[in-house]
Amino acid sequence: VESAFTRLTPVQESLFLTLYLRALDHRSPDPILRDALSDEVARKIGYDFGRLKVVPSQVLDLALRTKRLDELVQEFVAGHPDAVVLDLGCGLDPRAIRCDLPPGTDWFDLDFPEVLRIRERYLPLASHQVGADLTGPDWLDGIPADRPAMVVADGLMAFLTGERFRAMARTLTGHFPSGEFAFNAYTPFDLWAANYSGTFRSLHTKTAGEGFTDPHVPEGWGARLTLAEELLLTRAPEIAKYPRPLRDLTRLCAHSTWISRHGNRIVRYRF
Ligand SMILES: C[S@@+](CC[C@H](N)C(=O)[O-])C[C@H]1O[C@@H](n2cnc3c(N)ncnc32)[C@H](O)[C@@H]1O
């Protein structure tokens, strides 16, 4: 088992971080995401999670943003029963299972082939799997191009250079007639600062992303994206579950849009 992991690149290995954060949320007394399956996978996978230097606020923030992305998917498919859903850089996230989609929809989980091999071993098959490098040209080939698409990318932006993330967005919106693209967005400052966090240091990698502060920036990527919503999660009702003093600090930050953009944030675009 261990050898399968040591062959992963640091970027691929980051999937253990988000898996572990979901597991820790589930083990907490009052979970936000409640993902029992991630907890189960984390317990049996045999990865040394202790080496990832996680701090409690990461558990809360990750659980909250993942829950919100789940809700965006559920809202989209409720209005588009023939939708395709894409989870870009799915890692070991059982999002398709959490979202429990209606039968007319098709779900595609995309990540590197090495990652999908681990996924197949530890997660029940609940979706189509596409093993590909998302910075390549042809990863959308097998995915229906005539249906509305809901595309989510949870924790992917930090690992792709700005140019590659923009190119990926153009490839996406060139493929589908219409849809939505939602992801957690970082500011340039967040991405710079993340390199000094225990987490990125323990993964022995640096962030590659460029980031943006103004959520309208992606409208200029040439990808037909129109901002539908910016979710500043410092303002989410679930902040009530954060322990003091983090709750008070988060609520203080919520007063400022500028500060909140540098925190836990999801952006959603229509195309
Ligand atoms: C932080 S993990 C997040 C995984 C998952 N979305 C989650 O929330 O648990 C980032 C994931 O993006 C994938 N990834 C990064 N760059 C990629 C690329 N160029 N092509 C495909 N997958 C990529 C990694 O392999 C990894 O699984």
Side-chain angles (χ1 to χ4, degrees), residues 11-12 14 18 22 89-91 111-112 132-134 154-156 160:
V11 169
Q12 294 166 347
S14 71
T18 42
R22 288 191 300 278
C90 59
D111 209 304
F112 291 108
D133 180 343
L134 298 168
D154 199 349
L156 178 67
L160 264 51

Side-chain angles (χ1 to χ4, degrees), residues 156-162 165 187-188 191-192 206-211:
L156 178 67
M157 188 188 179
F159 299 104
L160 264 51
T161 64
F165 198 81
T187 63
L191 292 171
W192 170 80
K206 283 194 180 285
T207 55
E210 206 167 280

Side-chain angles (χ1 to χ4, degrees), residues 8-19 47 52 155 159 200 203 205:
L8 295 180
T9 66
V11 169
Q12 294 166 347
E13 209 173 329
S14 71
L15 66 86
F16 291 109
L17 170 67
T18 42
L19 171 69
Y47 180 82
L52 306 170
F159 299 104
F200 267 84
L203 286 169
T205 186

Side-chain angles (χ1 to χ4, degrees), residues 151-232:
V151 184
V152 290
D154 199 349
L156 178 67
M157 188 188 179
F159 299 104
L160 264 51
T161 64
E163 188 38 60
R164 285 180 163 173
F165 198 81
R166 292 189 284 274
M168 186 190 75
R170 286 192 290 269
T171 306
L172 266 178
T173 58
H175 185 79
F176 297 106
S178 65
E180 293 187 5
F181 181 29
F183 54 97
N184 67 308
Y186 305 99
T187 63
F189 172 79
D190 295 329
L191 292 171
W192 170 80
N195 291 321
Y196 299 93
S197 69
T199 309
F200 267 84
R201 290 165 94 121
S202 58
L203 286 169
H204 302 291
T205 186
K206 283 194 180 285
T207 55
E210 206 167 280
F212 55 84
T213 305
D214 178 350
H216 287 286
V217 164
E219 294 177 338
W221 289 353
R224 290 195 290 129
L225 297 174
T226 306
L227 180 67
E229 153 177 60
E230 177 187 44
L231 292 160
L232 300 175

Side-chain angles (χ1 to χ4, degrees), residues 43-72:
R43 284 179 199 277
K44 68 183 178 194
I45 205 162
Y47 180 82
D48 173 18
F49 293 105
R51 64 179 294 258
L52 306 170
K53 309 250 176 298
V54 312
V55 297
S57 65
Q58 283 177 298
V59 178
L60 298 155
D61 286 347
L62 184 281
L64 178 51
R65 90 176 188 220
T66 298
K67 179 179 176 215
R68 208 52 100 244
L69 284 168
D70 286 2
E71 289 164 0
L72 294 181

